[in-house]
Amino acid sequence: MKYISFTKNETKVILFIVVVITAGFSIRYYKHLINDETNTPYDYSGSDAEFKRLSGGINKNKSGANDSLSGSELDLMNELKKEEDSTDTGSKEKGSTGIYEKIININTATRNELIDLPGIGESTADKIISYRENKKGFRKTEEIMNVSGIGKKKYEKIKSYIKAE
């Protein structure tokens, strides 16, 4: 060690690193030996059974009918589906496709409506409202690009969801 010229602390750190690396390789080698000896792949039957139990054992045949549900259960499921469909107001919220269903007027939109537009956050919505108040509204939708933080790319994302009236 005298010829290498490491300080006492450097020698301790190097020794510690060597010990940790050696221990890591030893543990990995030991685990590899154990796995080779047992040679049993993971058995998924327990998790499959749990999934079936939690999902209620609903199985569909090729025609799309549920085999394991009684008539009243099917009626209840259909009724719940109809309720979900009827509660969809067609508002500007994202649908299952992730596309907004309503076009908003940027001259009258609330802060929350603006925030719901793709790529528009709280500060940008505040800037849009401020610009709208200072300029007495937008004449064209393209005018929204004059707002700080909205460039051509962001405008392309939101142009199909906005109008200026």
Side-chain angles (χ1 to χ4, degrees), residues 1-114:
M1 285 294 185
K2 291 181 184 179
Y3 301 112
I4 299 175
S5 71
F6 286 126
T7 65
K8 190 174 185 179
N9 286 337
E10 290 173 338
T11 306
K12 287 180 183 179
V13 169
I14 291 172
L15 184 61
F16 176 75
I17 291 172
V18 169
V19 168
V20 169
I21 290 173
T22 305
F25 279 117
S26 299
I27 291 171
R28 186 173 179 191
Y29 179 73
Y30 178 72
K31 284 185 177 182
H32 180 71
L33 286 177
I34 290 175
N35 287 338
D36 281 349
E37 289 173 5
T38 58
N39 200 16
T40 56
Y42 185 74
D43 182 18
Y44 292 99
S45 62
S47 60
D48 288 345
E50 181 71 8
F51 176 77
K52 288 178 183 175
R53 183 187 68 78
L54 291 174
S55 64
I58 297 174
N59 296 321
K60 289 190 174 194
N61 60 22
K62 290 182 182 177
S63 67
N66 288 316
D67 293 337
S68 62
L69 297 177
S70 68
S72 61
E73 290 171 329
L74 284 173
D75 292 340
L76 179 61
M77 285 180 63
N78 289 333
E79 185 177 324
L80 289 172
K81 177 69 175 151
K82 286 179 187 175
E83 284 180 19
E84 287 177 5
D85 292 342
S86 67
T87 57
D88 185 13
T89 59
S91 67
K92 194 179 65 51
E93 297 177 12
K94 289 183 181 178
S96 61
T97 59
I99 298 173
Y100 295 94
E101 298 171 358
K102 180 180 172 188
I103 297 174
I104 65 165
N105 184 351
I106 55 176
N107 287 321
T108 60
T110 65
R111 181 176 189 257
N112 288 334
E113 287 176 327
L114 292 170

Side-chain angles (χ1 to χ4, degrees), residues 108-125:
T108 60
T110 65
R111 181 176 189 257
N112 288 334
E113 287 176 327
L114 292 170
I115 291 171
D116 287 341
L117 290 171
I120 304 295
E122 294 176 3
S123 63
T124 307

